[in-house]
Amino acid sequence: MPLVDWFLRHSVTMWLLLQSFVLMTFCFHSATTFSKGCYHAEEGGYKTFRCSNAQLTEVPKDIPNDTNKLYLDFNQIAFLPIDAFRNLPVLLELDLSHNAIVRIESGAFRGLSEHLHSLDLSSNKLVSVNTDVFSNLKAKVNLSSNPWLCDCRLQELIRTVDLVAGSSGSIVCDSSAKEEHVGKPFLQVVTDMDFCSVYKKTTDIAMLVTMFGWFAMVISYLVYYVRQNQEDARRHLEYLKSLPSKQRRSEESSTISTVV
């Protein structure tokens, strides 16, 4: 009987130790599957994945696909490739602020159109972005504090996206065709100048100059061709005059019929 009691006591202890070991192993494995500096948690009823200030240089590949809020702010991400967030079908908020993003491929936000309602791209290094990058997105977008080139493309971009309230004043011209625009809010500049109409006029003038150049080349060639043939005809007539009269008349008639 004492032997049975000893065995039962130690069996229970061993079983508890085994359970603890399995649980610790599982938790350790779960914690190490994420990129360094990232963690998954539930905040306010939303599944949140935070990688803030994690020294990331690209969007991590191990983001759980049930994530509702994704924070990738304060990193060194410079490029958003196509389908960067495609496997996040229930993402509501995406914070990419305070990175080094200079280029966003068309299709980078593909798959987020249904649920995403907040996209923060402020404080990056964006100079110019194609409007189709944000096609079909219904999210409020923050584009403030980037070194924007104020031109027709930026004008069309701002017409396309739904800006976060109060953020438009921080979309400032870092460069522009006109020096006096630099340092001014884009919406202030665009009230006095339509960049797209200026671009259209410039394009039309360039096309007109190109067409005139081609026309001048064609005319020059025709003039050269006519003069060259006139010179050849004159030389031939002089040659005919030097021939005996009978042969000259025969070749003159041949020359005249050829010219006609």
Side-chain angles (χ1 to χ4, degrees), residues 201-237:
K201 288 177 182 178
T202 304
T203 304
D204 290 345
I205 291 172
M207 288 182 64
L208 184 62
V209 169
T210 302
M211 290 175 64
F212 178 79
W214 279 105
F215 182 74
M217 288 177 61
V218 171
I219 295 298
S220 299
Y221 176 77
L222 289 175
V223 170
Y224 169 80
Y225 180 80
V226 170
R227 286 182 177 178
Q228 189 67 28
N229 279 272
Q230 285 179 341
E231 182 67 20
D232 290 343
R234 184 183 65 79
R235 289 175 181 173
H236 190 63
L237 288 173

Side-chain angles (χ1 to χ4, degrees), residues 234-258:
R234 184 183 65 79
R235 289 175 181 173
H236 190 63
L237 288 173
E238 288 178 354
Y239 168 74
L240 292 177
K241 289 177 182 179
S242 65
L243 296 175
S245 59
K246 186 176 180 181
Q247 183 180 0
R248 184 172 64 243
R249 282 196 301 271
S250 175
E251 293 199 11
E252 280 179 352
S253 63
S254 176
T255 302
I256 292 170
S257 65
T258 301

Side-chain angles (χ1 to χ4, degrees), residues 15-138:
W15 175 248
L16 290 174
L17 286 172
L18 181 61
Q19 280 187 321
S20 300
F21 177 75
V22 171
L23 184 61
M24 289 175 63
T25 303
F26 176 76
C27 292
F28 179 76
H29 175 74
S30 298
T32 54
T33 56
F34 299 135
S35 301
K36 185 179 178 181
C38 302
Y39 67 90
H40 195 215
E42 189 163 325
E43 300 177 1
Y46 294 101
K47 293 182 179 180
T48 303
F49 193 69
R50 287 189 177 273
C51 292
S52 302
N53 200 19
Q55 299 183 348
L56 299 175
T57 57
E58 61 181 13
V59 177
K61 304 291 191 298
D62 52 9
I63 305 170
N65 57 14
D66 61 349
T67 299
N68 302 126
K69 297 184 179 183
L70 176 58
Y71 294 90
L72 300 174
D73 51 317
F74 290 95
N75 285 290
Q76 290 91 46
I77 299 171
F79 169 59
L80 298 181
I82 187 171
D83 292 331
F85 308 98
R86 191 172 186 177
N87 296 321
L88 303 173
V90 293
L91 192 65
L92 301 173
E93 295 183 14
L94 175 56
D95 189 348
L96 290 160
S97 64
H98 297 90
N99 274 279
I101 300 171
V102 294
R103 186 162 69 92
I104 305 175
E105 275 194 351
S106 298
F109 302 115
R110 188 163 57 187
L112 302 181
S113 58
E114 292 299 320
H115 300 283
L116 191 71
H117 62 70
S118 176
L119 173 59
D120 194 346
L121 287 165
S122 63
S123 300
N124 277 280
K125 296 183 179 180
L126 295 171
V127 175
S128 185
V129 178
N130 288 327
T131 56
D132 57 1
V133 166
F134 302 100
S135 60
N136 301 320
L137 275 186
K138 301 171 185 176

Side-chain angles (χ1 to χ4, degrees), residues 126-195:
L126 295 171
V127 175
S128 185
V129 178
N130 288 327
T131 56
D132 57 1
V133 166
F134 302 100
S135 60
N136 301 320
L137 275 186
K138 301 171 185 176
K140 295 279 186 180
V141 182
N142 189 345
L143 298 173
S144 63
S145 302
N146 281 280
W148 291 109
L149 166 64
C150 288
D151 61 359
C152 180
R153 180 176 289 185
L154 180 59
Q155 183 172 321
E156 290 298 319
L157 178 66
I158 290 178
R159 286 176 179 172
T160 302
V161 300
D162 188 5
L163 296 175
V164 172
S167 67
S168 59
S170 296
I171 300 176
V172 177
C173 300
D174 187 72
S175 57
S176 178
K178 292 190 176 182
E179 190 65 29
E180 62 265 26
H181 295 158
V182 176
K184 294 182 179 179
F186 180 73
L187 292 187
Q188 176 185 333
V189 172
V190 82
T191 55
D192 302 323
M193 177 180 182
D194 187 341
F195 285 91

